[in-house]
Amino acid sequence: MLIAFVVLYLVLTVAVGLWAATRVHNSKDYVLAGRSLPLYMSAATVFATWFGAETVLSVSATFSRDGLGGIAADPFGSSFCLLFVALFFARAFYRMDLLTIGDFYHKRYNKPVEVATSLAITLSYLGWTSAQLTALGLVFSVLSGGAISLETGIYMGAAFVLGYTIWGGMWSIAMTDLVQSVVILIGLGLVAWLVADMAGGADKVIAAAAEAGKFEFWPQGGAKEWLAFMAAWMTLAIGSIPQQDVFQRVTSAKNESTAVRGCLIGGVVYFSFAFVPIFIAYAALLIDPGYAKLFASEDAREIQRILPNLILERTPLWAQVLFFGALLSAILSTASGALLAPTSLFTENVIRPFTRHMGDRQFLLLLRVVLVTFTLAALIFAINSKSTMYEMVQNAYKVTLVSCVVPLVAGLYWKRANVTGAALAVAFGLVSWGTAEFVAADATVPPQLVGLGFSVLGMLLGAFVPRPARQHAAPHEHAAAREPHR
């Protein structure tokens, strides 16, 4: 019966996505939903995109094992990212009327910087997207009682998400996000109420977590522990700012004010509601302490089974339907956006310059071909990774932290930022980070902070290198530099 309800929900999701596809008439509709989303849809897309598989299954389990200090990246870092975007980037992005985040690097700097940053951002999505596909595989495997293997489930999940994203693009994502947000809020809310009662009350769960030291947030130890803590937080708080999915949700709003408010509301709701699955997961350990055995598994991904196992083994059918409906909503809303974002970026900023005479209809076809290709790449990554979803997401944003953040921030707020500085920032950041990961991954200073530091150094060096006369005359640089101060 549960599987029948899940199948029905998946069918309805596809139906909504295909209905939304009727609104797609050109590439701007496909990528940005025609820049027409009202506030409630804009906020829903921000919330639903960030509230994904790692939030429900992985962050919750990580808290149960490591406490608040183990989840500095998400939800704390990710929520701060949305706050930073709303306050410092949303207006600038919206006013510049760009199709992708890569267009900013082209407008502010030049084509090589655009291509380099676009490639880095695209590659960063492999981990983010793979985490969602892994979650779908886990859900299908659990629901089938193991009849469907994790790998087969991942293949099935990839095919399903691709099926409704490929036709409607951002319109399909926005419409399904709205429905899925409602399902998430209602479904997980009611399940949390039931599980709290099973554990002896919410106060008992909170008291047990406090007694076990799970609310200790700040790191215990010296410089190495503090730097690791800050690196984890910064990886999502700052490293996820130059991401196409964040950019798309901001610029899909109907106006500048809606873009800012939608990002703020979505971020606040996300941070608040992220603690619901955390509460449910810790309550599971009180209901059945045997679930703690999953923490000792050699496969780190096993800890993510705490919630699915609890729901299937301990709750009535209505709770199972609500939980898996909410879980699938969280996964699908994030996965669809995680597929479209790198597809849009790579197609527009890496491939399209070589197809200048392509019409809009042909460009739409190209977008869909790249979407299929990226899905296959993420599928291969997911099948071969043994990391938890939480770890996969953190690793994904290290790439953009060390290569794309400095050129973005400097390009918006520092008039001396130039092409040389941007190129050096990207090169220094990636090379130093890669070297540190290879030779000293466990050093006192985490590799991503090394990369970020060298990226800043590259921008500073470039700012004081004498620029050619033609660069002084480039009007687009000065216009872009003034853009956020209007």
Side-chain angles (χ1 to χ4, degrees):
M1 183 63 73
L2 174 60
I3 294 178
F5 277 114
V6 169
V7 171
L8 176 61
Y9 178 73
L10 293 176
V11 170
L12 291 175
T13 299
V14 171
V16 172
L18 293 179
W19 172 73
T22 61
R23 295 180 175 228
V24 175
H25 305 294
N26 53 51
S27 57
K28 193 171 186 178
D29 288 339
Y30 192 83
V31 177
L32 297 177
R35 289 170 67 98
S36 60
L37 298 184
L39 179 60
Y40 67 92
M41 291 188 72
S42 178
T45 60
V46 171
F47 165 74
T49 298
W50 283 78
F51 198 91
E54 74 290 343
T55 310
V56 179
L57 300 177
S58 198
V59 172
S60 60
T62 302
F63 169 84
S64 298
R65 183 186 63 192
D66 303 328
L68 284 181
I71 57 172
D74 192 6
F76 293 96
S78 51
S79 298
F80 268 91
C81 168
L82 296 176
L83 175 65
F84 293 152
V85 170
L87 296 180
F88 303 112
F89 298 92
R91 294 187 185 279
F93 286 161
Y94 201 89
R95 291 176 184 179
M96 295 176 77
D97 193 25
L98 308 174
L99 189 65
T100 69
I101 186 70
D103 291 343
F104 167 82
Y105 294 101
H106 179 83
K107 184 175 182 179
R108 182 62 177 86
Y109 300 111
N110 64 4
K111 188 63 187 177
V113 173
E114 171 195 7
V115 171
T117 52
S118 296
L119 285 172
I121 296 170
T122 299
L123 289 175
S124 74
Y125 274 97
L126 283 175
W128 177 249
T129 309
S130 298
Q132 312 312 313
L133 299 183
T134 300
L136 282 173
L138 177 61
V139 170
F140 293 146
S141 177
V142 169
L143 287 176
S144 68
I148 297 175
S149 68
L150 177 62
E151 289 191 0
T152 302
I154 291 174
Y155 285 117
M156 293 171 58
F160 178 80
V161 178
L162 178 64
Y164 76 85
T165 305
I166 194 170
W167 300 113
M170 190 60 197
W171 265 120
S172 287
I173 292 171
M175 291 293 189
T176 53
D177 278 358
L178 182 61
V179 175
Q180 289 158 350
S181 294
V182 173
V183 174
I184 291 170
L185 294 172
I186 295 176
L188 285 183
L190 290 175
V191 170
W193 170 77
L194 172 66
V195 171
D197 186 61
M198 294 170 59
D203 55 341
K204 183 178 179 180
V205 176
I206 295 172
E211 186 179 350
K214 299 302 180 182
F215 295 145
E216 294 181 4
F217 182 66
W218 303 110
Q220 305 296 314
K224 183 174 183 178
E225 288 74 19
W226 275 93
L227 287 172
F229 177 84
M230 289 302 300
W233 180 82
M234 291 175 65
T235 297
L236 261 76
I238 301 175
S240 53
I241 291 175
Q243 286 288 334
Q244 177 63 16
D245 56 343
V246 176
F247 174 87
Q248 280 181 252
R249 274 139 193 82
V250 168
T251 54
S252 294
K254 66 178 182 180
N255 55 46
E256 183 179 311
S257 176
T258 299
V260 175
R261 289 187 294 156
C263 195
L264 279 174
I265 293 172
V268 169
V269 175
Y270 170 74
F271 180 77
S272 303
F273 210 73
F275 288 94
V276 174
I278 286 175
F279 172 84
I280 298 173
Y282 200 78
L285 298 182
L286 298 186
I287 295 170
D288 186 351
Y291 292 133
K293 295 178 180 179
L294 294 172
F295 296 147
S297 174
E298 293 183 3
D299 189 340
R301 296 176 297 181
E302 285 299 302
I303 68 171
Q304 298 166 158
R305 292 182 177 269
I306 291 177
L307 280 185
N309 287 354
L310 168 73
I311 299 302
L312 283 177
E313 296 170 3
R314 299 279 183 162
T315 64
L317 179 62
W318 68 264
Q320 295 176 18
V321 172
L322 287 177
F323 174 79
F324 283 100
L327 177 58
L328 285 171
S329 294
I331 298 170
L332 295 175
S333 59
T334 304
S336 56
L339 286 178
L340 181 63
T343 294
S344 306
L345 186 67
F346 186 79
T347 308
E348 171 69 15
N349 300 104
V350 179
I351 298 179
R352 191 166 191 174
F354 299 100
T355 56
R356 295 183 182 278
H357 301 294
M358 180 179 291
D360 197 69
R361 186 178 296 275
Q362 288 75 31
F363 183 60
L364 266 175
L365 176 61
L366 180 60
L367 279 167
R368 288 169 172 140
V369 170
V370 174
L371 182 68
V372 174
T373 304
F374 185 81
T375 303
L376 292 175
L379 186 60
I380 294 171
F381 191 97
I383 292 295
N384 290 283
S385 176
K386 299 299 181 183
S387 301
T388 66
M389 296 168 222
Y390 185 58
E391 293 167 341
M392 291 167 76
V393 170
Q394 285 191 78
N395 291 332
Y397 290 127
K398 290 178 183 178
V399 180
T400 47
L401 177 69
V402 304
S403 60
C404 303
V405 170
V406 172
L408 174 63
V409 176
L412 283 172
Y413 291 104
W414 194 34
K415 292 184 179 181
R416 291 190 66 93
N418 57 33
V419 172
T420 303
L424 290 176
V426 175
F428 280 18
L430 287 173
V431 171
S432 60
W433 168 63
T435 302
E437 287 280 6
F438 182 73
V439 302
D442 295 323
T444 299
V445 181
Q448 65 264 47
L449 291 189
V450 173
L452 180 62
F454 272 90
S455 184
V456 172
L457 176 63
M459 178 60 72
L460 292 175
L461 288 176
F464 296 101
V465 171
R467 289 190 276 179
R470 62 181 179 83
Q471 199 168 9
H472 284 293
H476 67 273
E477 288 196 7
H478 305 293
R482 292 192 300 266
E483 190 69 34
H485 304 295
R486 290 181 184 177

